[in-house]
Amino acid sequence: MRFNAKDLALLAKRPSGCFDKEGKLKICRVVGDEKLIEPRERWCRLKGNLLFLMKNKSSEASEVVILERCWVVEFKSKTDVSIILKFQSGEPDLYIEAASKPDCEAWAVALGEANSEGLRNKIQQLRRLIMEIKEERASEEARQFLPSSQVDSLGEPQFTSIQRIANEPKLEFSLACKGLVAATRDRKLNTFIQVSVVHPAEHILTRYSSTEIVEGTRDPLFLTGVTFPPEYPIYEETKIKLTVYDVKDKSQDTVLTSVLPDHKEPRADVGRSFLGCATFRVGDLVKSKEQQLTLTLRFLSRTSDGGKTVGTIEVNLVKMGEFEDGEMDHITTDAQDQKFLCFLPLKSCSCGFLSATCAHNTENLERMTDRRAKEECALVRECTAPEGLSGKDNLPSLNAVLKNPICKLYRFPTSDNKWMRIREQMAETTLSFHVPKELINLHIKEDMRRNQELKDLGELAPHWDNMRKSVIAHCDQMLSMYQDTLAELGKHTGSSFKSSCSKGEKTLEFIPINLHLQRMHVHSPRLKDALYDVITVGAPAAHFQGFKNGGLRKLLSKFEAERRNTGYQCIYYSPENTAKAKEVLSNINHLQPLISSHADLLLNSASQHSPDSLKNSLKMLSEKTELFVHAFKDQLVRSALLALYTARPGCVLKKPAVPRSSAEESDDLKHQNHPSQIKRQDSIPHHSEYDEEEWDRVWANVGKSLNCVIAMVDRLLEKDNSSKTKEGESDPSAADCKVLHAGGDWYEQLYPLVITLKDCMGEVVTRAKQSMAFVLLQELACGLPQCLMLTLRRDIVFSQALAGLVCGFIIKLHTSLHDQGFLQQLHTVGLLVQYEGLLSTYSEEAGMLEDMAVGISDLQKVMFKVIEAKSEDFLPIITGRREHYVIEVQLPAKMFELLPQEIKEGKLLRMYPVLFNVGINEQQTLAERFGDTTLQENINQENLELLKEYYNLFTEKMPPDCLPHFQEQNDLKGLLENLHQNIQAKRRKNVEIMWLAATICRKLNGVRFTCCKSAKDRTSMSVTLEQCSILRDEHQLHKDFFIRALDCMRRQTQGALNESDDPETGCLTDNKPTSRHFYPVALLLVSSHLLVVWLILSLALLLAKYQ
């Protein structure tokens, strides 16, 4: 990066009041834990994101530090007055030492906020403050417009609610115009209606939505309706204003609903003209007998008082359970004359299906959907139990997950001249922040426990002790980062999703991008209601860390190769052995307290002389102890103990360290660089002895102690039974005395055996913990700091992927509670989760795809469990550790009772995530022409094998009649074979792979995900095309209205945004008109060839110039 040195020098010499902070600090550069030089005193001045370092207050700046892509590590001790500034670029850390603790804390805050990320956080806080002030003022002003009778005792306004069914939209209506009058007789109108709302308390006109453009008729019938979600503040007193516009210059119009103020007529240069407007009260529509209003459309002008009549508007109240009759003839008759012109949203023109070199992909997709219409493709999730969708029992748990729904309403004609209604809903989810916060909290606890285990290793030789100190120091820094991130997330307020503008923010790097539920509810005249859900989310990737060196797939492979060649400094353990060590530690932490509690219960049963309780306690104790003993039956523990012994200050092997006779164990030890072959310093004394068989004796003592307990319990129970048979009928008082005496004997005889069992178990735990902690020490020491950075990156990607998976599972469970076949499949086989990736294999997106592939693969280790909710908090609970998490989904009691017994008993439910990626944008064209698509091909091939594995498991464990009648096994087998052929074909931009994978997923009752870079452009194009294809194939959408339905779904209709706002990201954009296409179609189709020609001509010109 280049700077103007003179300007920087002038800035550094400005008066003191011009700087954000200044003062004396001691500063030096640090590499690892070593300071390059001793800290020197410097006068530091902070201005924006520039830190000037000067020898004294009056001298010139000797160095300028740019505070971007860096973070502050503040030490938590009360006496430490230093902080470290770390840079993501890899340059040496900056050590900063202040004069006092308050001064150190002040500098830490100032440096932490002195970058673009801190500035964005301040802007967000100011925006939230402004919104709070506006809401307070609006509520105060509302009371001034209301009579005292409309204000309750708390001072809140009272209005008449129109809510009909819980969790259903409050109001939905369709629109049509008749007899519109044009300015000239010969002109054919191109009209759309803008819908605005006047709240009775505020008396402020708010733009809400708009219809599509209907071209070439004076009697337009609009396919896009108007819907108000359940939480929208609309009442019978609310007024709705309908404004009709005639679009003149269609190429310059974007159909945004907030282009002009409502009280002003559009200028002639904006490409549209005002035709007229009409207003009605919501109560009039709801209470009308026919639930229909015919309004007069008037053109208001300054010269006329009443306004000129320019036509009528018909407003029809819509209910999803009722059908319209008599209108289909009208629309089919005019089908040739009416043309529906709908523009793509601003977000879809830059890199979607219709962008640059990818315009021909839309043709491929449409040709594919035409062919698929001939096949019987079963993609329907029937609403067999309406109460499962909108029942009161379902509301609390769903409302805890879904927030801020945006609804759209359409009516499309069917092939048999009927109407079907479609309600489209997009909702945020609170899980976007809940799941990452739960995960980070678990990471912090796990890392703190690991650090403590490393400290408990005991005395080590100087080499290993220095290594341990270095590892713990780095781990403490990472732990501090996790804690700071969790603290920042705890302060977050506002929307419950992360927009694409924030994907580079460090504090939000664990949060998934644009995680939403996309739901389509179809009500057809002759078919059952159907729901189609797709989870849309940005590709799980570490955007803040960047993709300069690739993604996780490449980084992990490279790191593992480098770790094998670490030399004598540490011992190499394979990833499998490292994972085994973590599993052993986890089993120890889980089983040891359980065994202790069962042993105490056994003694309690013995003191009460309860034979049945004694048997049950012994059974549980035996089961847990056997699991405990089995956890250490591994060669890794024995070899790690030997390795730990060699790391002590002095060691002499009593027997030569020879691997076991097993060839497999021998091979394992060979790859682990056996500790006896490790180079050690000659100064280490060799005076003690190590007996390798000692561990076997200690480990076997636990089993022997348990056998003693079992034998004693059997002896006591046998004596008790024999004494009862001999006594027969005896004196009751004497029998009671004998029972009390026998109870004391039982406890006294069992107590020493139980204590011995606990002591043996404690000795095993101590040794096993130390040995496994030593294995983890080697893993960390061999790759500092890359190992910790890769762990952080993997945690970030996994957090984003898991948030989407939890959302998809909960939604699927709620919509399928009455589907016994699905519930049986869920606990017998597991749940298929299919991710549709639209990333290219070029530049940064290749790194994103690598991150995404690893993150989705890690989801295989996640298990779900459904539990009954004990409170009103229905958010899921996450337990476990890295590589082994259990998600507990809470359901209300009435919903929990609908589950099979296996699920209610706590059976863990497996997930089978698969990822199929097909790059479709212009960057993928470059990758196919000049780059490499091997990454995509390998990912698709690997996940095809996983999908086949799930299918084989499904066919083995599930009965043939578990799927609906139209989903036959042969059909699934044919689809899998077709998918296999398409993956092997390696055709360019083969979107057939996406359709086949999505079809197989829906047939197997799976959960669908669609992902691209930010879940905006390509994702929206894919989802809308899939929805319209389902309407045509499954619900008989009229073939002449496929494109029109697609255009309606792809247009922006919400009117709460300004013209200069990006509807998805909230980022400011240039206030320029947007056309449908950036380039002519002919240019789009040959753009890649033109690029080659341009490169050749440029090379020729350069050669000619220098000859």
Side-chain angles (χ1 to χ4, degrees):
M1 189 178 294
R2 298 180 179 178
F3 298 95
N4 191 320
K6 293 182 179 180
D7 291 343
L8 288 177
L10 291 175
L11 180 60
K13 291 184 177 181
R14 297 185 68 182
S16 298
C18 300
F19 295 93
D20 301 330
K21 188 172 182 59
E22 61 178 331
K24 288 184 179 180
L25 295 173
K26 291 184 178 180
I27 291 179
C28 71
R29 291 286 181 175
V30 179
V31 175
D33 293 332
E34 299 181 0
K35 300 174 183 177
L36 298 181
I37 58 174
E38 286 299 318
R40 297 179 179 177
E41 190 175 87
R42 292 287 184 266
W43 184 265
C44 301
R45 287 183 163 181
L46 178 65
K47 181 63 177 178
N49 61 349
L50 299 177
L51 178 64
F52 297 96
L53 307 182
M54 311 163 67
K55 292 184 177 180
N56 52 63
K57 191 173 183 179
S58 59
S59 65
E60 295 183 354
S62 58
E63 186 179 353
V64 180
V65 180
I66 304 172
L67 303 176
E68 291 294 342
R69 302 182 74 83
C70 62
W71 65 93
V72 177
V73 178
E74 183 180 0
F75 297 99
K76 304 299 182 182
S77 63
K78 297 181 179 180
T79 58
D80 205 326
V81 294
S82 62
I83 57 177
I84 292 180
L85 200 61
K86 289 185 170 293
F87 298 89
Q88 188 183 351
S89 60
E91 62 180 291
D93 302 339
L94 191 66
Y95 174 85
I96 301 175
E97 183 178 330
S100 62
K101 187 62 178 178
D103 194 25
C104 178
E105 293 176 352
W107 273 103
V109 173
L111 293 174
E113 297 178 351
N115 52 26
S116 56
E117 182 181 348
L119 184 60
R120 281 194 296 267
N121 292 335
K122 289 182 180 179
I123 293 174
Q124 291 177 358
Q125 293 176 0
L126 292 174
R127 284 177 176 172
R128 289 194 294 267
L129 182 61
I130 292 172
M131 292 301 297
E132 292 174 359
I133 294 174
K134 284 184 176 181
E135 291 175 0
E136 292 176 359
R137 289 181 178 177
S139 60
E140 293 175 359
E141 293 174 357
R143 297 187 181 94
Q144 300 176 3
F145 292 98
L146 297 173
S148 57
S149 60
Q150 287 186 321
V151 180
D152 61 7
S153 59
L154 297 177
E156 297 295 330
Q158 295 291 305
F159 300 112
T160 307
S161 175
I162 60 171
Q163 182 75 40
R164 297 173 297 181
I165 302 176
N167 210 35
E168 290 290 313
K170 283 187 175 180
L171 179 67
E172 294 179 317
F173 57 85
S174 58
L175 298 168
C177 295
K178 290 186 178 179
L180 296 179
V181 178
T184 59
R185 182 174 299 179
D186 298 334
R187 171 167 174 73
K188 290 185 177 181
L189 299 176
N190 307 317
T191 54
F192 77 95
I193 300 178
Q194 180 175 284
V195 182
S196 303
V197 179
V198 183
H199 195 277
E202 298 177 357
H203 297 279
I204 299 175
L205 199 64
T206 305
R207 295 176 183 85
Y208 183 74
S209 66
S210 71
T211 65
E212 78 280 7
I213 293 178
V214 181
E215 184 182 1
T217 180
R218 299 190 180 190
D219 301 320
L221 190 145
F222 300 96
L223 301 184
T224 304
V226 181
T227 179
F228 294 89
E231 67 279 0
Y232 193 88
I234 188 170
Y235 310 93
E236 290 186 5
E237 294 81 5
T238 303
K239 291 184 179 181
I240 296 179
K241 180 180 180 181
L242 306 175
T243 308
V244 182
Y245 292 102
D246 174 25
V247 178
K248 294 180 179 179
D249 188 359
K250 295 172 286 300
S251 64
Q252 297 296 323
D253 193 275
T254 58
V255 199
L256 286 173
T257 61
S258 57
V259 174
L260 299 169
D262 286 284
H263 61 279
K264 293 184 179 180
E265 182 180 344
R267 305 187 309 271
D269 58 349
V270 297
R272 69 179 72 178
S273 63
F274 173 77
L275 286 183
C277 62
T279 305
F280 69 93
R281 291 177 69 255
V282 172
D284 296 339
L285 176 62
V286 175
K287 295 179 181 179
S288 61
K289 293 183 179 180
E290 298 180 355
Q291 295 189 333
Q292 176 181 343
L293 296 178
T294 301
L295 309 174
T296 301
L297 191 64
R298 298 185 180 277
F299 178 83
L300 301 178
S301 62
R302 299 176 182 177
T303 57
S304 59
D305 297 333
K308 177 184 176 182
T309 301
V310 292
T312 59
I313 299 182
E314 291 185 357
V315 184
N316 292 277
L317 189 66
V318 172
K319 295 181 180 179
M320 290 293 286
E322 300 179 358
F323 299 98
E324 299 178 42
D325 296 321
E327 294 186 5
M328 188 58 207
D329 295 337
H330 166 72
I331 193 167
T332 52
T333 303
D334 298 339
Q336 300 300 326
D337 297 332
Q338 293 190 28
K339 297 180 181 178
F340 289 69
L341 180 64
C342 301
F343 296 96
L344 298 179
L346 291 173
K347 63 182 181 180
S348 63
C349 297
S350 58
C351 57
F353 280 68
L354 298 179
S355 63
T357 59
C358 289
H360 59 286
N361 288 320
T362 303
E363 300 176 5
N364 294 336
L365 290 169
E366 291 171 358
R367 282 199 301 269
M368 251 190 354
T369 53
D370 291 338
R371 190 179 72 230
R372 289 175 71 247
K374 300 176 184 178
E375 303 175 357
E376 188 175 17
C377 177
L379 304 179
V380 181
R381 165 60 57 195
E382 294 183 352
C383 301
T384 54
E387 68 272 14
L389 300 175
S390 58
K392 293 182 180 179
D393 297 334
N394 200 5
L395 289 179
S397 53
L398 268 184
N399 290 338
V401 175
L402 300 179
K403 296 291 182 183
N404 303 327
I406 298 176
C407 300
K408 296 180 182 179
L409 180 69
Y410 310 101
R411 53 175 176 174
F412 297 141
T414 62
S415 56
D416 56 354
N417 295 338
K418 297 291 184 180
W419 287 103
M420 64 175 167
R421 292 199 179 98
I422 294 91
R423 181 187 296 151
E424 191 181 22
Q425 177 182 347
M426 182 177 71
E428 305 170 13
T429 172
T430 56
L431 300 176
S432 293
F433 283 83
H434 173 74
V435 171
K437 287 193 289 188
E438 290 283 306
L439 267 183
I440 295 174
N441 192 30
L442 289 177
H443 293 333
I444 292 173
K445 293 179 180 178
E446 181 181 351
D447 291 348
M448 291 177 67
R449 186 165 55 247
R450 178 198 59 199
N451 292 355
Q452 187 59 44
E453 289 167 353
L454 292 177
K455 295 175 182 177
D456 293 341
L457 276 175
E459 187 179 2
L460 297 176
H463 167 71
W464 300 105
D465 192 49
N466 293 334
M467 181 184 295
R468 175 173 59 177
K469 291 178 181 178
S470 176
V471 168
I472 292 177
H474 281 85
C475 290
D476 286 340
Q477 292 179 8
M478 296 300 296
L479 184 62
S480 177
M481 288 178 56
Y482 282 108
Q483 292 171 338
D484 293 343
T485 300
L486 183 61
E488 290 297 325
L489 291 179
K491 300 175 185 177
H492 177 83
T493 57
S495 63
S496 53
F497 76 100
K498 181 175 78 172
S499 66
S500 59
C501 272
S502 305
K503 62 175 172 281
E505 292 188 17
K506 179 175 174 55
T507 56
L508 299 179
E509 57 185 346
F510 285 85
I511 311 300
I513 302 171
N514 276 338
L515 177 60
H516 288 86
L517 166 68
Q518 183 76 22
R519 167 169 289 181
M520 182 175 68
H521 182 191
V522 184
H523 191 82
S524 302
R526 297 182 181 178
L527 297 174
K528 291 183 178 180
D529 282 13
L531 283 181
Y532 302 92
D533 291 339
V534 178
I535 307 297
T536 61
V537 63
H543 292 274
F544 177 78
Q545 296 190 19
F547 309 95
K548 182 179 180 180
N549 299 316
L552 274 174
R553 193 177 172 105
K554 180 187 294 183
L555 293 173
L556 289 173
S557 176
K558 181 180 179 182
F559 172 73
E560 187 60 29
E562 293 176 349
R563 205 161 69 91
R564 291 177 182 272
N565 303 318
T566 52
Y568 69 91
Q569 295 184 353
C570 58
I571 307 170
Y572 172 77
Y573 287 96
S574 66
E576 294 77 15
N577 284 333
T578 303
K580 180 66 177 177
K582 295 178 181 178
E583 182 182 353
V584 170
L585 286 173
S586 177
N587 290 334
I588 291 174
N589 295 326
H590 174 67
L591 292 175
Q592 185 183 14
L594 288 179
I595 294 174
S596 298
S597 63
H598 288 308
D600 294 338
L601 288 175
L602 181 70
L603 292 176
N604 187 40
S605 301
S607 63
Q608 296 177 359
H609 197 272
S610 173
D612 294 336
S613 177
L614 191 67
K615 291 178 182 179
N616 293 332
S617 299
L618 179 63
K619 180 181 178 182
M620 297 300 298
L621 178 63
S622 301
E623 291 177 356
K624 299 303 180 183
T625 306
E626 287 175 4
L627 291 175
F628 179 82
V629 173
H630 182 73
F632 304 109
K633 191 182 292 185
D634 194 280
Q635 178 64 23
L636 175 64
V637 180
R638 183 178 288 103
S639 64
L641 280 170
L642 178 57
L644 176 61
Y645 174 76
T646 63
R648 298 299 184 188
C651 67
V652 172
L653 298 182
K654 183 177 180 180
K655 297 180 180 180
V658 179
R660 297 294 173 181
S661 59
S662 171
E664 181 178 1
E665 292 179 356
S666 176
D667 184 69
D668 288 341
L669 292 179
K670 185 186 299 182
H671 287 293
Q672 291 174 14
N673 295 336
H674 198 279
S676 63
Q677 301 173 2
I678 298 173
K679 298 181 180 179
R680 297 188 301 271
Q681 299 178 4
D682 295 335
S683 59
I684 296 179
H686 308 283
H687 54 78
S688 62
E689 295 183 354
Y690 174 72
D691 186 359
E692 289 184 272
E693 296 179 357
E694 184 180 0
W695 165 249
D696 294 333
R697 291 193 295 269
V698 172
W699 173 58
N701 285 340
V702 177
K704 292 178 181 178
S705 301
L706 177 64
N707 292 333
C708 293
V709 172
I710 294 174
M712 178 58 69
V713 171
D714 291 341
R715 190 179 305 119
L716 293 175
L717 292 176
E718 184 180 354
K719 288 183 179 180
D720 183 69
N721 291 333
S722 61
S723 62
K724 285 183 179 179
T725 55
K726 291 180 180 179
E727 287 175 5
E729 296 180 359
S730 58
D731 186 14
S733 59
D736 292 339
C737 295
K738 289 182 178 179
V739 167
L740 292 174
H741 180 69
D745 292 341
W746 283 18
Y747 181 85
E748 291 174 359
Q749 295 183 56
L750 280 176
Y751 180 77
L753 298 178
V754 170
I755 294 300
T756 303
L757 174 63
K758 287 185 176 181
D759 292 340
C760 294
M761 184 179 63
E763 188 175 358
V764 170
V765 166
T766 301
R767 298 196 181 198
K769 268 190 172 184
Q770 289 183 346
S771 64
M772 295 299 97
F774 189 73
V775 174
L776 299 185
L777 175 64
Q778 308 308 310
E779 179 201 26
L780 295 170
C782 288
L784 283 178
Q786 292 86 353
C787 180
L788 293 176
M789 294 306 296
L790 281 177
T791 301
L792 172 63
R793 188 183 189 103
R794 199 164 189 171
D795 288 344
I796 291 169
V797 175
F798 179 78
S799 171
Q800 298 177 24
L802 183 63
L805 176 64
V806 175
C807 176
F809 178 87
I810 293 177
I811 298 301
K812 184 69 176 179
L813 183 63
H814 279 77
T815 56
S816 306
L817 272 176
H818 297 271
D819 187 345
Q820 295 302 318
F822 168 76
L823 295 177
Q824 181 184 357
Q825 174 187 349
L826 184 61
H827 71 78
T828 305
V829 184
L831 181 64
L832 178 66
V833 184
Q834 185 252 329
Y835 289 81
E836 176 185 295
L838 303 172
L839 294 171
S840 69
T841 55
Y842 182 80
S843 188
E844 286 192 346
E845 288 199 8
M848 296 177 199
L849 182 57
E850 290 180 350
D851 277 0
M852 182 179 178
V854 174
I856 292 175
S857 177
D858 287 344
L859 295 177
Q860 297 178 25
K861 302 168 186 175
V862 176
M863 308 290 280
F864 280 80
K865 184 166 72 170
V866 184
I867 62 175
E868 183 178 352
K870 303 301 181 182
S871 65
E872 296 300 321
D873 184 9
F874 297 102
L875 290 174
I877 302 170
I878 305 178
T879 58
R881 58 177 176 82
R882 289 183 179 91
E883 302 179 359
H884 186 76
Y885 288 105
V886 177
I887 315 299
E888 297 181 354
V889 177
Q890 303 186 81
L891 289 182
K894 293 184 179 179
M895 296 176 65
F896 187 76
E897 290 301 321
L898 300 175
L899 298 174
Q901 189 64 29
E902 293 85 352
I903 298 181
K904 288 194 288 187
E905 290 176 355
K907 183 176 182 180
L908 296 180
L909 311 175
R910 287 198 61 186
M911 300 294 109
Y912 290 85
V914 292
L915 166 64
F916 294 96
N917 187 85
V918 178
I920 59 171
N921 64 352
E922 66 276 9
Q923 289 188 343
Q924 184 63 20
T925 303
L926 295 175
E928 291 172 346
R929 296 284 184 182
F930 312 108
D932 185 15
T933 60
T934 306
L935 173 63
Q936 176 177 285
E937 295 166 2
N938 292 340
I939 289 175
N940 290 343
Q941 185 62 44
E942 293 167 6
N943 285 272
L944 175 63
E945 299 302 321
L946 294 175
L947 183 59
K948 287 182 178 179
E949 178 185 341
Y950 180 83
Y951 171 74
N952 294 332
L953 193 64
F954 179 87
T955 54
E956 290 175 7
K957 295 189 176 182
M958 295 297 293
D961 58 346
C962 64
L963 295 176
H965 60 86
F966 47 75
Q967 298 185 13
E968 299 179 356
Q969 299 295 335
N970 293 334
D971 189 16
L972 275 171
K973 190 174 182 180
L975 288 170
L976 276 170
E977 183 60 30
N978 196 0
L979 178 61
H980 174 76
Q981 292 174 1
N982 277 274
I983 291 176
Q984 293 296 325
K986 300 180 181 179
R987 296 203 309 265
R988 294 178 178 176
K989 298 184 181 178
N990 188 3
V991 290
E992 181 78 13
I993 294 175
M994 297 188 300
W995 288 114
L996 289 169
T999 303
I1000 293 171
C1001 174
R1002 291 195 185 275
K1003 281 179 175 290
L1004 290 173
N1005 296 324
V1007 179
R1008 287 267 296 111
F1009 282 79
T1010 300
C1011 312
C1012 66
K1013 181 179 179 179
S1014 302
K1016 295 189 305 178
D1017 310 329
R1018 285 164 278 182
T1019 297
S1020 62
M1021 297 297 102
S1022 176
V1023 170
T1024 51
L1025 182 60
E1026 180 182 2
Q1027 290 180 166
C1028 288
S1029 301
I1030 291 173
L1031 292 177
R1032 182 189 58 193
D1033 300 340
E1034 304 300 329
H1035 298 277
Q1036 303 175 355
L1037 173 66
H1038 198 287
K1039 61 180 181 180
D1040 294 336
F1041 286 84
F1042 178 82
I1043 298 299
R1044 299 177 186 177
L1046 188 63
D1047 288 341
C1048 286
M1049 287 186 173
R1050 286 182 174 177
R1051 58 183 306 281
Q1052 177 189 340
T1053 59
Q1054 282 306 111
L1057 304 173
N1058 295 325
E1059 186 181 22
S1060 59
D1061 289 345
D1062 185 329
E1064 284 287 338
T1065 65
C1067 298
L1068 295 179
T1069 57
D1070 294 334
N1071 190 6
K1072 297 178 181 179
T1074 306
S1075 59
R1076 296 185 67 180
H1077 303 287
F1078 283 120
Y1079 309 103
V1081 175
L1083 178 60
L1084 293 176
L1085 295 177
V1086 299
S1087 58
S1088 59
H1089 300 286
L1090 290 178
L1091 178 61
V1092 178
V1093 174
W1094 178 79
L1095 290 173
I1096 295 174
L1097 291 176
S1098 300
L1099 181 60
L1101 288 174
L1102 286 174
L1103 292 175
K1105 180 178 179 180
Y1106 292 101
Q1107 281 181 351

